[in-house]
Short mmCIF file of all heavy atoms in Angstrom, two decimals:
data_model
loop_
_atom_site.label_atom_id
_atom_site.label_comp_id
_atom_site.label_asym_id
_atom_site.label_seq_id
_atom_site.Cartn_x
_atom_site.Cartn_y
_atom_site.Cartn_z
N ASP A 263 46.80 46.71 32.68
CA ASP A 263 46.55 46.30 31.29
C ASP A 263 45.08 46.46 30.94
O ASP A 263 44.74 47.05 29.91
CB ASP A 263 46.95 44.82 31.09
CG ASP A 263 48.44 44.60 31.14
OD1 ASP A 263 49.17 45.60 31.06
OD2 ASP A 263 48.86 43.44 31.27
N PHE A 264 44.24 45.96 31.84
CA PHE A 264 42.80 46.03 31.56
C PHE A 264 42.33 47.47 31.49
O PHE A 264 41.60 47.86 30.56
CB PHE A 264 42.03 45.27 32.66
CG PHE A 264 40.56 45.41 32.53
CD1 PHE A 264 39.86 44.73 31.54
CD2 PHE A 264 39.83 46.26 33.37
CE1 PHE A 264 38.50 44.88 31.39
CE2 PHE A 264 38.48 46.41 33.23
CZ PHE A 264 37.81 45.71 32.24
N VAL A 265 42.74 48.27 32.47
CA VAL A 265 42.31 49.68 32.48
C VAL A 265 42.87 50.40 31.25
O VAL A 265 42.17 51.24 30.66
CB VAL A 265 42.78 50.34 33.80
CG1 VAL A 265 42.49 51.83 33.77
CG2 VAL A 265 42.10 49.71 34.98
N GLY A 266 44.08 50.05 30.89
CA GLY A 266 44.69 50.69 29.71
C GLY A 266 43.89 50.35 28.44
O GLY A 266 43.58 51.23 27.61
N ILE A 267 43.53 49.08 28.27
CA ILE A 267 42.74 48.68 27.08
C ILE A 267 41.38 49.35 27.14
O ILE A 267 40.83 49.81 26.12
CB ILE A 267 42.61 47.14 26.99
CG1 ILE A 267 44.01 46.52 26.81
CG2 ILE A 267 41.73 46.72 25.83
CD1 ILE A 267 44.04 45.01 26.88
N PHE A 268 40.83 49.50 28.36
CA PHE A 268 39.55 50.18 28.52
C PHE A 268 39.67 51.66 28.09
O PHE A 268 38.78 52.19 27.43
CB PHE A 268 39.09 50.08 29.98
CG PHE A 268 37.74 50.67 30.22
CD1 PHE A 268 36.59 50.04 29.77
CD2 PHE A 268 37.62 51.90 30.88
CE1 PHE A 268 35.35 50.60 30.00
CE2 PHE A 268 36.38 52.46 31.09
CZ PHE A 268 35.25 51.81 30.64
N GLY A 269 40.81 52.28 28.48
CA GLY A 269 41.06 53.67 28.04
C GLY A 269 41.11 53.76 26.53
O GLY A 269 40.52 54.67 25.91
N GLY A 270 41.81 52.79 25.91
CA GLY A 270 41.87 52.75 24.45
C GLY A 270 40.51 52.55 23.84
O GLY A 270 40.17 53.17 22.82
N TYR A 271 39.70 51.74 24.50
CA TYR A 271 38.34 51.47 24.02
C TYR A 271 37.49 52.74 24.04
O TYR A 271 36.78 53.05 23.07
CB TYR A 271 37.72 50.38 24.89
CG TYR A 271 36.22 50.31 24.91
CD1 TYR A 271 35.52 49.79 23.82
CD2 TYR A 271 35.49 50.78 26.01
CE1 TYR A 271 34.14 49.74 23.83
CE2 TYR A 271 34.12 50.71 26.01
CZ TYR A 271 33.44 50.19 24.93
OH TYR A 271 32.08 50.14 24.94
N LEU A 272 37.61 53.50 25.15
CA LEU A 272 36.83 54.75 25.24
C LEU A 272 37.23 55.71 24.13
O LEU A 272 36.37 56.34 23.49
CB LEU A 272 37.03 55.40 26.61
CG LEU A 272 36.34 54.74 27.80
CD1 LEU A 272 36.58 55.55 29.05
CD2 LEU A 272 34.85 54.60 27.54
N VAL A 273 38.53 55.84 23.90
CA VAL A 273 39.01 56.71 22.83
C VAL A 273 38.52 56.20 21.48
O VAL A 273 38.05 56.97 20.63
CB VAL A 273 40.54 56.81 22.85
CG1 VAL A 273 41.07 57.49 21.59
CG2 VAL A 273 41.00 57.56 24.07
N ALA A 274 38.59 54.88 21.29
CA ALA A 274 38.23 54.28 19.99
C ALA A 274 36.77 54.54 19.65
O ALA A 274 36.44 54.94 18.55
CB ALA A 274 38.51 52.79 20.02
N ILE A 275 35.88 54.35 20.65
CA ILE A 275 34.45 54.50 20.33
C ILE A 275 34.04 55.97 20.31
O ILE A 275 33.11 56.34 19.61
CB ILE A 275 33.53 53.72 21.30
CG1 ILE A 275 33.78 54.13 22.74
CG2 ILE A 275 33.69 52.22 21.12
CD1 ILE A 275 32.63 53.72 23.66
N SER A 276 34.75 56.81 21.07
CA SER A 276 34.31 58.21 21.12
C SER A 276 34.91 59.07 20.01
O SER A 276 34.24 59.94 19.47
CB SER A 276 34.67 58.82 22.47
OG SER A 276 36.07 58.72 22.68
N THR A 277 36.15 58.81 19.64
CA THR A 277 36.77 59.69 18.64
C THR A 277 37.21 59.00 17.36
O THR A 277 37.41 59.67 16.34
CB THR A 277 38.03 60.39 19.24
OG1 THR A 277 38.97 59.38 19.58
CG2 THR A 277 37.70 61.22 20.46
N LEU A 278 37.38 57.69 17.38
CA LEU A 278 37.93 57.05 16.17
C LEU A 278 36.84 56.39 15.31
O LEU A 278 37.13 55.95 14.20
CB LEU A 278 38.97 55.98 16.57
CG LEU A 278 40.14 56.48 17.41
CD1 LEU A 278 41.06 55.33 17.76
CD2 LEU A 278 40.92 57.56 16.66
N GLY A 279 35.63 56.29 15.85
CA GLY A 279 34.55 55.70 15.06
C GLY A 279 34.67 54.20 14.91
O GLY A 279 34.22 53.62 13.93
N ILE A 280 35.30 53.56 15.90
CA ILE A 280 35.39 52.10 15.87
C ILE A 280 34.33 51.55 16.85
O ILE A 280 34.15 52.12 17.93
CB ILE A 280 36.80 51.63 16.33
CG1 ILE A 280 37.86 52.22 15.40
CG2 ILE A 280 36.90 50.13 16.35
CD1 ILE A 280 39.27 52.08 15.90
N THR A 281 33.65 50.50 16.45
CA THR A 281 32.61 49.96 17.35
C THR A 281 33.25 49.20 18.51
O THR A 281 34.37 48.69 18.38
CB THR A 281 31.66 49.04 16.58
OG1 THR A 281 32.43 47.95 16.10
CG2 THR A 281 30.99 49.74 15.43
N GLY A 282 32.51 49.11 19.60
CA GLY A 282 33.02 48.42 20.80
C GLY A 282 33.40 46.98 20.57
O GLY A 282 34.55 46.59 20.82
N PRO A 283 32.48 46.17 20.01
CA PRO A 283 32.82 44.76 19.77
C PRO A 283 34.03 44.59 18.86
O PRO A 283 34.87 43.73 19.08
CB PRO A 283 31.56 44.21 19.11
CG PRO A 283 30.48 45.10 19.55
CD PRO A 283 31.08 46.45 19.71
N GLN A 284 34.09 45.48 17.83
CA GLN A 284 35.24 45.43 16.92
C GLN A 284 36.55 45.64 17.68
O GLN A 284 37.52 44.89 17.50
CB GLN A 284 35.06 46.56 15.90
CG GLN A 284 35.77 46.34 14.61
CD GLN A 284 35.47 47.46 13.63
OE1 GLN A 284 34.96 48.51 13.98
NE2 GLN A 284 35.78 47.22 12.39
N PHE A 285 36.54 46.61 18.59
CA PHE A 285 37.75 46.93 19.34
C PHE A 285 38.13 45.77 20.26
O PHE A 285 39.25 45.30 20.24
CB PHE A 285 37.50 48.19 20.18
CG PHE A 285 38.68 48.61 20.99
CD1 PHE A 285 39.64 49.46 20.47
CD2 PHE A 285 38.86 48.14 22.29
CE1 PHE A 285 40.73 49.83 21.22
CE2 PHE A 285 39.95 48.49 23.04
CZ PHE A 285 40.89 49.34 22.50
N TRP A 286 37.14 45.28 21.02
CA TRP A 286 37.45 44.22 21.99
C TRP A 286 37.86 42.94 21.30
O TRP A 286 38.77 42.24 21.74
CB TRP A 286 36.26 43.97 22.93
CG TRP A 286 36.10 45.05 23.94
CD1 TRP A 286 35.12 45.98 24.02
CD2 TRP A 286 36.99 45.34 25.04
NE1 TRP A 286 35.33 46.84 25.08
CE2 TRP A 286 36.48 46.45 25.73
CE3 TRP A 286 38.18 44.76 25.49
CZ2 TRP A 286 37.09 47.01 26.83
CZ3 TRP A 286 38.79 45.32 26.60
CH2 TRP A 286 38.26 46.42 27.26
N THR A 287 37.17 42.62 20.19
CA THR A 287 37.52 41.38 19.48
C THR A 287 38.93 41.45 18.96
O THR A 287 39.74 40.52 19.15
CB THR A 287 36.53 41.15 18.32
OG1 THR A 287 35.23 41.26 18.81
CG2 THR A 287 36.74 39.79 17.69
N SER A 288 39.27 42.58 18.30
CA SER A 288 40.64 42.67 17.77
C SER A 288 41.63 42.72 18.91
O SER A 288 42.76 42.24 18.78
CB SER A 288 40.77 43.90 16.86
OG SER A 288 40.82 45.07 17.62
N ALA A 289 41.22 43.26 20.07
CA ALA A 289 42.15 43.38 21.20
C ALA A 289 42.48 42.00 21.78
O ALA A 289 43.65 41.66 21.92
CB ALA A 289 41.54 44.26 22.29
N TRP A 290 41.46 41.18 22.04
CA TRP A 290 41.81 39.90 22.67
C TRP A 290 42.26 38.86 21.67
O TRP A 290 43.03 37.98 22.00
CB TRP A 290 40.69 39.40 23.57
CG TRP A 290 39.47 38.82 22.90
CD1 TRP A 290 38.27 39.43 22.74
CD2 TRP A 290 39.32 37.52 22.34
NE1 TRP A 290 37.40 38.61 22.09
CE2 TRP A 290 38.02 37.43 21.84
CE3 TRP A 290 40.17 36.43 22.19
CZ2 TRP A 290 37.55 36.30 21.19
CZ3 TRP A 290 39.69 35.30 21.56
CH2 TRP A 290 38.39 35.24 21.08
N GLN A 291 41.81 39.01 20.40
CA GLN A 291 42.26 38.04 19.39
C GLN A 291 43.74 38.21 19.09
O GLN A 291 44.39 37.27 18.64
CB GLN A 291 41.44 38.20 18.13
CG GLN A 291 40.19 37.34 18.17
CD GLN A 291 39.41 37.40 16.90
OE1 GLN A 291 39.63 38.28 16.06
NE2 GLN A 291 38.47 36.50 16.73
N ALA A 292 44.24 39.42 19.31
CA ALA A 292 45.65 39.67 19.00
C ALA A 292 46.56 39.01 20.02
O ALA A 292 47.72 38.77 19.76
CB ALA A 292 45.91 41.18 18.98
N LEU A 293 45.99 38.71 21.19
CA LEU A 293 46.83 38.20 22.28
C LEU A 293 47.05 36.70 22.18
O LEU A 293 46.16 35.97 21.76
CB LEU A 293 46.20 38.55 23.63
CG LEU A 293 46.12 40.04 23.93
CD1 LEU A 293 45.39 40.27 25.22
CD2 LEU A 293 47.50 40.67 23.99
N ASP A 294 48.24 36.34 22.58
CA ASP A 294 48.62 34.94 22.58
C ASP A 294 49.00 34.56 24.02
O ASP A 294 49.17 35.45 24.87
CB ASP A 294 49.82 34.77 21.63
CG ASP A 294 49.98 33.34 21.17
OD1 ASP A 294 49.19 32.50 21.66
OD2 ASP A 294 50.88 33.06 20.34
N TYR A 295 49.14 33.29 24.29
CA TYR A 295 49.57 32.88 25.63
C TYR A 295 50.94 33.45 25.97
O TYR A 295 51.20 33.81 27.12
CB TYR A 295 49.59 31.35 25.74
CG TYR A 295 48.21 30.77 25.68
CD1 TYR A 295 47.78 30.05 24.60
CD2 TYR A 295 47.32 30.98 26.74
CE1 TYR A 295 46.51 29.55 24.53
CE2 TYR A 295 46.05 30.46 26.69
CZ TYR A 295 45.64 29.75 25.60
OH TYR A 295 44.38 29.26 25.54
#
Side-chain angles (χ1 to χ4, degrees):
Chain A
D263 290 346
F264 174 74
V265 174
I267 297 173
F268 183 73
Y271 159 74
L272 286 184
V273 169
I275 58 162
S276 58
T277 62
L278 303 178
I280 301 168
T281 62
Q284 203 177 14
F285 180 89
W286 284 110
T287 309
S288 74
W290 75 257
Q291 272 184 346
L293 295 175
D294 200 356
Y295 291 110

